[in-house]
Amino acid sequence: KINEHKMVDKINDDNIRNEIISKHYDTFKRIKILNFKKNILNIKYKLEDQAKTEFMLANQRLREEEAKLQQLEQRKAGYEETVRQLLKKELQVDRIKENQEAIARMSEFIIEQMACVKEAQYQVDVAAAKLTELRKERKAQEKLKEKAFEDFRQEENARESKEIDELVSFTYGRRQREE
């Protein structure tokens, strides 16, 4: 009869061992999922960093284009001032005409540069929108990862609690049979 109890205990031990292994297998699967979510989050961080760089470069280009525009406007203002000074003095038709042509060319350059500034501003807006969207995606991914981890933690706590209860019950049952 003692051998039968030992055999039953061995079978119960094997069943418990197999159950624990299967439970840990599920845990490992969940850990793989968490690692996958972590990898996705790392990719989101890298994409966001790239978008930040693009945004910074677009802003830098915009500042450069605006500086060029300001230089053109200053040159035009210089030609206009020269024309005013020439008109106050004795008439120097050739120089006045030359400066008026320079003013006209500067006006054309300014119009072209304004188009460059407008394009640069558009690129900044596009980069900002892309950066904003990537930030939203990254934050959403962070929340998903946190939720998955919290779910995992709660499931693990419940599983451990159940295992402890089963172990206590098993140990108690074994003692009862031995007595």
Side-chain angles (χ1 to χ4, degrees):
K1 190 146 194 169
I2 291 175
N3 283 340
E4 286 178 20
H5 283 294
K6 284 183 180 179
M7 200 147 182
V8 169
D9 287 345
K10 172 132 176 60
I11 291 171
N12 285 338
D13 288 347
D14 288 342
N15 288 341
I16 290 172
R17 188 177 301 113
N18 289 337
E19 190 175 321
I20 289 172
I21 289 170
S22 70
K23 287 179 185 176
H24 286 293
Y25 178 76
D26 291 339
T27 301
F28 291 130
K29 279 182 19 183
R30 282 189 239 122
I31 288 172
K32 278 186 176 182
I33 291 169
L34 287 175
N35 285 337
F36 180 72
K37 289 183 185 260
K38 182 179 176 184
N39 290 340
I40 289 174
L41 187 58
N42 287 340
I43 291 169
K44 296 290 183 185
Y45 276 119
K46 288 177 184 175
L47 289 173
E48 186 177 342
D49 287 344
Q50 287 176 345
K52 284 178 187 176
T53 301
E54 289 172 13
F55 179 72
M56 180 193 67
L57 293 173
N59 262 327
Q60 182 179 356
R61 181 171 175 255
L62 175 62
R63 286 190 300 274
E64 290 169 358
E65 297 297 338
E66 287 172 338
K68 288 178 188 176
L69 177 61
Q70 187 178 13
Q71 289 173 348
L72 290 172
E73 288 172 341
Q74 288 172 349
R75 282 179 64 190
K76 181 182 174 187
Y79 288 129
E80 289 171 341
E81 181 60 31
T82 301
V83 167
R84 276 193 288 281
Q85 294 300 322
L86 288 172
L87 288 174
K88 288 181 183 177
K89 297 180 182 176
E90 56 192 66
L91 283 179
Q92 297 176 8
V93 177
D94 290 342
R95 286 198 64 204
I96 292 172
K97 195 173 187 179
E98 201 176 275
N99 278 288
Q100 285 176 336
E101 287 173 6
I103 290 170
R105 280 193 312 274
M106 284 297 117
S107 294
E108 290 172 11
F109 292 154
I110 287 171
I111 290 170
E112 290 173 12
Q113 190 58 34
M114 285 177 149
C116 291
V117 168
K118 189 174 181 178
E119 173 62 23
Q121 182 62 54
Y122 173 76
Q123 294 301 325
V124 167
D125 294 342
V126 167
K130 182 179 178 182
L131 179 59
T132 301
E133 185 61 31
L134 286 170
R135 280 185 176 154
K136 286 179 188 177
E137 289 177 15
R138 187 228 343 128
K139 287 179 182 179
Q141 193 63 38
E142 282 176 343
K143 287 183 182 181
L144 287 172
K145 181 184 169 236
E146 288 170 9
K147 183 176 178 349
F149 181 73
E150 186 60 32
D151 290 346
F152 169 75
R153 200 168 56 83
Q154 287 176 356
E155 288 173 13
E156 282 300 300
N157 287 341
R159 186 188 58 77
E160 286 174 7
S161 206
K162 183 180 174 186
E163 282 180 13
I164 290 169
D165 289 346
E166 288 174 356
L167 188 59
V168 168
S169 296
F170 176 74
T171 306
Y172 179 75
R174 185 182 251 179
R175 281 188 200 154
Q176 291 296 330
R177 278 185 273 163
E178 288 175 1
E179 292 175 359

